[in-house]
Amino acid sequence: MNKNQYKYLNIKGAILDNYQLQKYMEKIATNHDLNKESSIFTYPIPRLKENYNYIKKTYDLLNKHMKIGIEEHPAGEWLLDNFYIIEETVKTIENNIDIKKYKSFSGLQNGMYKGYARIYVLASEIVAYTDNKITDEILKLVITSYQKRKTLAMAEIWNLWIFLEIAIIENIRNICERIYSGQLQKYKVENIIERLLEKKDKSNQNFKLEKKLYKEKISYKEMKYPFIEHMSYRLKKYGKKAIPYLEILEEEVSKMGISTSECIEKEHYDMAISKVSMGNSITSLKEILRINFLNLFEEINGVESVLKKDPANIYSKMDYKTKEYYRNKIKEISEKTKISEIYIANKALNLCLKNNEEVKKHIGYYLISDGYAELMNSLQIKVKTPKNKSSIYINSIWVLSIIFSIIISLYTYYKTKKIYLAIITGILLYMPISEIIIQIINYILNKVVKPKILPKMDFINGIPNEYKTMVVIPTIVNNKEKVKELFKKLEVYYMANKSSNIYFTLLGDCTQSKNELEKFDEEVIEQGIKECNKLNEKYKSNDKIKLFNFIYRKRIWNDKEESFLGWERKRGLLMQFNKFLLTGEENFRTNTIEYNLLKNKIKYVITLDSDTNLILESGLELIGTMAHILNKPVVENGIVTKGHAIIQPRVRNRFKSQQKKFTYPNLCWTTVE
């Protein structure tokens, strides 16, 4: 599309106080009728690029004039010092809004701004009526006022900063037009001074009129205020010599119905206003980067206020990513059904209020869990249940397998004319064909279906008492050096996941041997206890439970292996440890854990391999995941029917060439309750 086909928005406004601004926002909200989409002809990026090019042209002119001694416009000082901010802002905007995204915003259906994205118009109104002065207090005020009459979509609020920056860049361009024009007039003045007062020869002139910039001759009709102001200023510097020219200037200006002093006064006023506006614009571009839009979003978003009413009191305690997941789910439903986000959120809340079951009182149950179908039914939208989807998946496999088997059978019959051979071929190939189809369907689904995240509680400020967790490394230790190495790892994990109610234990397994006891056993035990004491002394806490502990197993005879070893190896070690946490029963040779202090208090166990890392705050995130009400396991007849008893995050290998990169640990959770 040709850039000339795009329209651009340039709203002019007066400065309003807070009360006036509130009332004005309510008024325009009342007048806004909406379309589902914005017009692509109002896409702001072509105009943004044009604005940037003009601003850059002004910046280049100011630099050029500064070098040749022409005084720059007061507002130009802001531009010269802060052009890099404008440059970075434009790049950021271009990277954050494409034409598809812009079109998805609700557009205005009526009025002089018909077709423009509502949020674009609103942002431009805010900028116009605050003289480019943007703060989080002003944004809270105007958005709250607007939403008294019309509710903004989450995507609109979240992208408000982009359109504020676009509107500010537009205003900077307007100021630059005045700066550019003023600088050209000053250059013309300098050219006249050189020719008339300094009597310089054309070849010696410093200020030559370039054809591209200074085509037209100067006449009284073109004597704009910057020209008059600067000419008067320059002539007065020459004293008596310039008096005849000052008189001519006064006479020519009087033809315009105004005096020279009035022109100078008006120009100085305009220069002061431009300087303030440019200063506000640059300051606001910086301020927008500092504003915490996450907090602002949560304060002014209508959907957020509904979600916070969650009867289970879970939503407000979740982490940001999970809250965003819930909000995006509402946004997704809204886009598919064309139903208001607020209406959907209220429907989910009403369903919560009708239930007394703990999990069903949580609003997320209806957004991302088993209650989703119930929510959609309340919205009178038909959806496929998990059972329907499973049937489609299974039926697709066997139907496609049969079709391809029949095709091959027919081809075989066509070639051989033997029906029994065709039937046998079809039957024999059915299984391999079905396996191929399963692989193809799974590959397609893997590319098409988005993975779901597990909701999490926010434990970044500390793990609650009811979720005490033990981090363990179960591994064979046969020398004190390995014990030292593993305790160093546990110390790092503690520092990366520092919180109350999280503890660290090295589960030392014994080696396989023909002897029940080995010489190095005592050395390992002594070093393990020593390392524990050293770390507990180093990281003292008010908690009576020791932060660091060491366990070393006994060897028992194994008839099949015909040797002494730890029962059931690593799996057995974890089972024995969990049993100890539950009952106090232990089969360990050494155990520094005081069971009386831990009795029935450890909720979860994080299991780490000796070659994996528990990276920064990952332990807190995992505990937050398991603690979420939708993830809590429901056990029926010894089987987990809902939720999770064990979770294992994605595993990422770290190679030597990637030593500096963070990795995800190979973690396994075990519920010991």
Side-chain angles (χ1 to χ4, degrees), residues 281-427:
S281 299
I282 299 296
T283 303
S284 291
L285 289 179
K286 294 177 182 177
E287 183 65 23
I288 287 170
L289 296 175
R290 288 193 288 265
I291 292 173
N292 189 329
F293 275 89
L294 173 57
N295 291 342
L296 182 66
F297 175 84
E298 292 185 349
E299 285 185 41
I300 63 179
N301 178 22
V303 170
E304 184 73 13
S305 64
V306 175
L307 294 174
K308 283 180 178 177
K309 296 176 184 176
D310 176 25
N313 196 27
I314 298 291
Y315 182 83
S316 58
K317 298 175 183 177
M318 300 189 313
D319 72 346
Y320 166 69
K321 288 181 181 177
T322 306
K323 290 179 180 178
E324 184 181 40
Y325 183 37
Y326 281 27
R327 293 192 295 259
N328 286 341
K329 193 65 182 178
I330 291 174
K331 178 185 172 186
E332 180 186 316
I333 296 170
S334 176
E335 288 174 349
K336 286 181 180 178
T337 61
K338 307 305 178 186
I339 297 173
S340 162
E341 292 171 347
I342 289 286
Y343 183 82
I344 295 166
N346 279 315
K347 273 292 182 183
L349 181 62
N350 291 337
L351 291 171
C352 293
L353 295 171
K354 292 177 183 177
N355 281 287
N356 294 321
E357 192 178 333
E358 185 184 9
V359 70
K360 292 183 178 180
K361 286 172 69 177
H362 174 48
I363 202 162
Y365 177 79
Y366 301 96
L367 295 175
I368 66 168
S369 192
D370 297 341
Y372 178 73
E374 192 176 341
L375 171 63
M376 297 306 284
N377 286 335
S378 71
L379 296 171
Q380 299 181 341
I381 305 294
K382 292 183 179 180
V383 292
K384 293 184 177 71
T385 63
K387 190 175 180 181
N388 296 144
K389 292 177 181 177
S390 298
S391 298
I392 293 169
Y393 174 75
I394 294 168
N395 291 336
S396 298
I397 291 169
W398 71 260
V399 167
L400 288 171
S401 300
I402 289 173
I403 290 171
F404 280 103
S405 296
I406 291 172
I407 290 171
I408 292 172
S409 295
L410 292 172
Y411 181 76
T412 304
Y413 177 73
Y414 173 76
K415 288 291 185 182
T416 63
K417 303 301 182 184
K418 296 178 181 178
I419 192 166
Y420 71 89
L421 187 59
I423 293 171
I424 292 171
T425 302
I427 293 171

Side-chain angles (χ1 to χ4, degrees), residues 57-232:
K57 184 172 75 169
T58 305
Y59 172 77
D60 292 338
L61 184 69
L62 285 168
N63 272 316
K64 180 181 177 183
H65 282 191
M66 188 170 63
K67 289 175 183 177
I68 59 178
I70 296 179
E71 183 181 349
E72 70 268 14
H73 193 288
E77 295 174 11
W78 278 96
L79 183 62
L80 288 170
D81 292 340
N82 298 280
F83 178 73
Y84 71 96
I85 293 173
I86 297 169
E87 191 172 35
E88 288 300 317
T89 300
V90 170
K91 287 179 183 176
T92 303
I93 295 169
E94 288 178 353
N95 291 334
N96 278 278
I97 183 164
D98 56 26
I99 195 164
K100 183 179 178 182
K101 182 178 179 179
Y102 177 78
K103 190 180 176 184
S104 68
F105 293 117
S106 296
L108 295 183
Q109 194 177 46
N110 61 326
M112 61 190 297
Y113 305 127
K114 181 180 179 181
Y116 285 96
R118 170 176 59 171
I119 193 63
Y120 183 17
V121 174
L122 182 58
S124 298
E125 297 272 17
I126 294 169
V127 169
Y129 288 95
T130 59
D131 191 25
N132 307 287
K133 194 172 182 180
I134 304 299
T135 63
D136 54 351
E137 290 81 9
I138 287 174
L139 292 180
K140 287 176 194 175
L141 176 76
V142 296
I143 299 302
T144 303
S145 302
Y146 185 92
Q147 291 198 123
K148 288 179 181 178
R149 299 287 180 266
K150 289 277 195 323
T151 302
L152 293 167
M154 288 186 289
E156 290 178 306
I157 298 174
W158 195 246
N159 289 281
L160 173 63
W161 66 273
I162 296 175
F163 294 101
L164 287 171
E165 290 182 338
I166 291 172
I168 290 171
I169 297 295
E170 180 71 44
N171 282 350
I172 291 175
R173 187 253 170 82
N174 292 337
I175 298 168
C176 282
E177 286 179 352
R178 295 197 289 274
I179 294 172
Y180 193 86
S181 174
Q183 292 300 127
L184 293 187
Q185 297 293 353
K186 286 178 182 180
Y187 192 96
K188 289 179 181 180
V189 168
E190 295 298 336
N191 174 265
I192 292 169
I193 295 292
E194 277 192 329
R195 288 188 293 110
L196 298 183
L197 283 173
E198 296 179 1
K199 307 294 183 181
K200 283 188 178 181
D201 188 79
K202 191 172 183 180
S203 59
N204 295 325
Q205 287 178 12
N206 295 320
F207 303 97
K208 296 178 181 179
L209 294 179
E210 299 174 21
K211 290 183 179 180
K212 289 183 180 179
L213 296 178
Y214 316 103
K215 291 180 182 178
E216 301 174 11
K217 294 180 180 179
I218 299 171
S219 66
Y220 79 91
K221 292 181 180 179
E222 295 171 306
M223 286 184 178
K224 304 300 180 186
Y225 300 115
F227 178 88
I228 297 167
E229 186 273 337
H230 193 63
M231 178 62 83
S232 176

